Amino acid sequence: FFYLKELLALCDEDDPDDLEKHLYSLIDRELIGEAKSRFSDDRAFNFRHTLVRDVAYEGISKGKRARMHELLALHLESTARGWSRWFQEIVGYHFERAHDYRSELGQRGELTDELARRAGEQLGAAGRKAHVGGDMPAAATLLGRAAALLRGDERARLELLAPLSDALAETGQAERAIELATEAIEGARHFGLHGVEAHALTVLMKLPRRPGFKLSLGYGIGH
């Protein structure tokens, strides 16, 4: 599905009537169709076939894709009707894609870093909600993506490592969970993030023992 207001945000059309004429042309050619909208103040459309959508997307340059993903994320943020996990995941996805395309093109700088930060924040928030809701596979995926994007903000990244390690442990990835929980503890001690340290220690307590575990746990409790 896609919506008229989203298209206006992407195309920067001054006259909505012009955009609608183009849409009706595509409808007449049976490339897209009108769909039932979830919102009374907006109109919805869909592609007749996913192949049409994929071909249209592949025909757009990476630079333009990056800009369009960024514009759509900003539009969705500014018109948010509620911040559910699913909405934050969508917004985070578009910021993430904008960042990834710019990175692939070698476009480093403040804008690319800002896209990474905003993507990480949204995906991290969605991942935390998935974790609280017990959807551990989704939590592991979302929090993992967020942590990778937030490598430029160590404190924000550390905040995600404990729930990420917990989600990984619950999905059978014990070794990786141990690595991240240990990293979270060490980083939290450096920055004085006692809540992060405590959370990561509780995750370690649930995981299989390995050499050095008792020493690490003992130091953590004493500290």
Side-chain angles (χ1 to χ4, degrees):
F1 288 91
F2 55 94
Y3 288 86
L4 180 59
K5 289 183 178 180
E6 293 174 352
L7 289 176
L8 288 168
L10 292 178
C11 300
D12 195 25
E13 290 280 356
D14 294 328
D15 186 355
D17 292 336
D18 288 341
L19 178 58
E20 290 192 61
K21 288 177 183 177
H22 294 305
L23 289 172
Y24 280 121
S25 175
L26 294 174
I27 291 172
D28 289 341
R29 294 159 62 187
E30 298 186 348
L31 296 175
I32 66 171
E34 290 203 66
K36 185 177 180 180
S37 176
R38 292 177 296 171
F39 311 112
S40 60
D41 61 345
D42 205 353
R43 297 173 60 190
F45 304 87
N46 59 13
F47 286 96
R48 290 294 189 185
H49 197 285
T50 55
L51 181 60
V52 176
R53 178 200 65 195
D54 294 345
V55 169
Y57 187 75
E58 290 300 322
I60 302 171
S61 68
K62 287 186 177 181
K64 192 169 184 179
R65 285 185 215 173
R67 180 57 178 160
M68 292 175 76
H69 279 293
E70 179 190 354
L71 287 172
L72 183 53
L74 293 170
H75 169 74
L76 292 172
E77 267 194 334
S78 66
T79 59
R81 301 170 193 251
W83 288 99
S84 68
R85 163 192 157 185
W86 310 107
F87 189 82
Q88 289 177 304
E89 187 174 343
I90 291 170
V91 174
Y93 165 80
H94 287 293
F95 277 130
E96 179 184 36
R97 296 307 294 152
H99 166 268
D100 290 349
Y101 281 127
R102 287 183 61 86
S103 296
E104 288 175 21
L105 293 169
Q107 298 175 355
R108 308 291 180 181
E110 291 184 7
L111 176 56
T112 303
D113 293 343
E114 177 66 7
L115 291 170
R117 184 190 67 79
R118 296 178 83 158
E121 285 181 353
Q122 295 289 354
L123 292 173
R128 285 180 177 277
K129 288 178 180 177
H131 180 261
V132 171
D135 188 350
M136 295 304 181
T141 298
L142 291 167
L143 291 169
R145 286 161 62 192
L149 287 158
L150 291 172
R151 291 193 178 278
D153 187 344
E154 190 61 21
R155 291 177 68 94
R157 181 174 174 274
L158 286 169
E159 295 279 357
L160 301 179
L161 292 189
L164 173 56
S165 62
D166 190 31
L168 290 170
E170 293 292 334
T171 54
Q173 302 176 67
E175 284 301 313
R176 183 58 176 156
I178 291 171
E179 291 175 8
L180 289 178
T182 302
E183 181 184 349
I185 292 168
E186 293 172 352
R189 287 171 182 166
H190 176 74
F191 287 102
L193 303 174
H194 303 303
V196 172
E197 180 183 354
H199 189 178
L201 281 167
T202 63
V203 175
L204 272 182
M205 291 174 68
K206 299 191 297 182
L207 291 165
R209 303 297 190 267
R210 71 174 185 177
F213 177 83
K214 291 182 179 180
L215 176 63
S216 174
L217 181 59
Y219 176 83
I221 291 176
H223 180 73

